[in-house]
Amino acid sequence: MAKIVLPYVLARSFADGVSEHQVQAIDPRQLVHALDERFPGIGERLNDGFAIAIDGEIFQDWFLECIGPESEVYFIPAIEGG
């Protein structure tokens, strides 16, 4: 199972302050769905305004990336510029 790390604000709001979780998923869409089943409402927040780091590589458009069984996945606030 992949190790998932949520930002503190989401961990506090949805997961009783626990930021690290183990989730079985092969891609970010499946991951968000699994987290939303555990913590209703978190999926909407993760899909809006968060980038994702998978094994140390940051993705802004992360929906089609792959997650391995031993991956570390971090959700981070998306950086917007102009």
Side-chain angles (χ1 to χ4, degrees):
M1 287 192 185
K3 174 184 170 185
I4 310 305
V5 180
L6 298 172
Y8 176 72
V9 66
L10 293 182
R12 187 183 67 216
S13 297
F14 292 97
D16 294 326
V18 179
S19 60
E20 292 187 16
H21 303 273
Q22 297 290 320
V23 177
Q24 183 71 37
I26 60 169
D27 61 43
R29 287 179 193 247
Q30 191 178 63
L31 171 63
V32 169
H33 179 72
L35 287 170
D36 200 48
E37 284 184 348
R38 284 189 197 179
F39 312 113
I42 198 170
E44 184 177 338
R45 292 284 304 275
L46 290 173
N47 284 324
D48 185 34
F50 282 89
I52 192 172
I54 303 171
D55 297 325
E57 188 173 350
I58 298 173
F59 301 95
Q60 293 289 340
D61 297 317
W62 43 268
F63 294 104
L64 300 177
E65 300 304 322
C66 294
I67 297 173
E70 301 298 320
S71 289
E72 289 190 9
V73 180
Y74 291 76
F75 284 94
I76 52 179
I79 299 170
E80 296 183 24

